[in-house]
């Protein structure tokens, strides 16, 4: 997908940062609350939020051993730093980086959350692969996103899609295409937010088991 690139995202979120919480705060909060509810039930120890933005979703999550936020936009991260715990034993590390090339070792987190980021990143496929790589086997990936709708709204999404780059948002992502046929199981799907426009999907990560040296010897 070439309609969005990192420069376009940084530039869009430089513009959005001062008014993000006002424009995209309360209207998307019930989805963030639903995500926090799922997290509370899963009780992971090490959570990474990808596309942490102004910290509005991560701030709702119950405390765990490690909570970490990553975003491409310094303008958004500066706002997150003002609302998330700073220099305490519950400090939340905030990292400026690209979610499609995560600066973490494989299996570093037992939960990776993706609230409202898949429609924004240049390659949602690449971002999902990276989320899967840094998530432990048996860990969870939580996706909260607006996906392509049917009927009249779908028509509007198609009309808006050529403007993805200037809006910093791709309005017509297909969830079935994106989430199907991968090494995870879909544990739950819920519709959230006003008019049920957003999907919350809970995935359990089951990457294929890499062959061990023992396996190779047994085969010879
Ligand atoms: C719509 S905001 C969502 C922010 C937050 N999760 C929330 O609930 O409000 C999307 C965020 O994802 C970030 N983002 C988009 N693509 C990214 C990428 N490839 N790597 C890191 N952050 C990215 C943007 O900079 C922006 O802050």
């Amino acid at each position: 997908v070439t309609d969005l690139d990192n420069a376009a995202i940084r530039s869009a979120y430089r513009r959005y940062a001062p008014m993000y919480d006002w424009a995209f705060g309360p209207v998307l909060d019930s989805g963030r609350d639903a995500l926090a509810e799922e997290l509370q039930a899963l009780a992971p120890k090490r959570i990474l939020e990808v596309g942490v933005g102004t910290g509005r979703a991560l701030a709702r999550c119950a405390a765990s051993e490690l909570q970490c936020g990553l975003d491409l936009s310094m303008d958004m991260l500066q706002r997150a730093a003002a609302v998330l715990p700073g220099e305490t034993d519950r400090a939340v590390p905030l990292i400026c980086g690209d979610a499609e090339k995560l600066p973490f070792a494989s299996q570093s987190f037992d939960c990776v959350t993706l609230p409202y980021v898949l429609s924004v990143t240049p390659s949602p496929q690449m971002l999902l692969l990276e989320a899967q790589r840094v998530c432990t086997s048996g860990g969870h990936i939580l996706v909260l996103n607006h996906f392509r709708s049917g009927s009249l709204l779908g028509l509007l999404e198609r009309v808006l899609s050529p403007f993805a780059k200037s809006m910093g948002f791709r309005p017509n992502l297909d969830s079935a295409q994106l989430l199907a046929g991968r090494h995870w199981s879909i544990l739950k799907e819920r519709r959230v937010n006003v008019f049920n426009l957003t999907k919350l999907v809970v995935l359990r990560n089951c990457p294929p088991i890499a062959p061990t040296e023992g396996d190779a010897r047994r085969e010879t």
Side-chain angles (χ1 to χ4, degrees):
V1 182
T2 53
D3 48 354
L4 283 171
D5 56 43
N6 287 359
I9 293 162
R10 284 201 195 91
S11 141
Y13 281 89
R14 184 163 306 132
R15 278 184 276 122
Y16 289 147
M19 46 127 184
Y20 183 86
D21 283 323
W22 174 80
F24 303 106
V27 72
L28 299 177
D29 273 349
S30 65
R32 298 182 182 102
D33 288 336
L35 177 89
E37 233 173 71
E38 295 295 339
L39 268 182
Q40 192 157 14
L42 295 169
K45 289 203 169 108
R46 298 165 70 83
I47 304 171
L48 169 68
E49 183 176 318
V50 167
V52 67
T54 60
R56 213 171 165 98
L58 197 52
R60 302 175 130 71
C61 299
S64 63
E65 212 172 84
L66 173 72
Q67 290 175 320
C68 187
L70 177 134
D71 204 286
L72 206 52
S73 161
M74 270 310 289
D75 299 85
M76 295 292 272
L77 283 174
Q78 273 161 6
R79 283 162 202 270
V83 298
L84 294 170
E87 317 235 315
T88 65
D89 53 352
R90 270 213 56 217
V92 174
L94 292 173
I95 295 153
C96 190
D98 183 356
E100 296 183 23
K101 292 183 203 133
L102 286 172
F104 305 110
S106 299
Q107 309 219 26
S108 295
F109 300 91
D110 52 348
C111 187
V112 181
T113 60
L114 312 175
Y116 307 123
V117 64
L118 281 180
S119 294
V120 175
T121 195
S123 166
Q125 293 84 351
M126 196 60 224
L127 190 149
L128 282 171
L129 278 177
E130 275 293 89
Q132 185 165 37
R133 180 184 67 77
V134 302
C135 184
T136 53
S137 173
H140 295 91
I141 300 170
L142 272 59
V143 174
L144 178 65
N145 208 71
H146 172 81
F147 291 107
R148 182 182 297 174
S149 333
S151 66
L152 271 182
L153 189 63
L155 190 68
L156 178 67
E157 290 161 359
R158 279 200 295 284
V159 170
L160 287 176
S161 60
F163 305 102
K165 191 165 180 166
S166 50
M167 293 190 298
F169 169 75
R170 197 180 293 110
N172 65 341
L173 208 59
D174 184 336
S175 69
Q177 211 175 42
L178 196 61
L179 300 180
R182 295 182 183 254
H183 293 287
W184 53 47
S185 37
I186 298 180
L187 298 186
K188 202 190 256 191
E189 280 189 299
R190 278 168 74 177
R191 291 237 163 231
V192 291
N193 283 339
V194 66
F195 303 130
N196 285 332
L197 282 178
T198 308
K199 248 190 201 175
L200 173 60
V201 188
V202 180
L203 304 164
R204 187 178 162 83
N205 191 26
C206 336
I209 299 162
T212 62
E213 270 183 37
D215 291 335
R217 271 198 303 275
R218 273 192 294 277
E219 272 171 26
T220 53

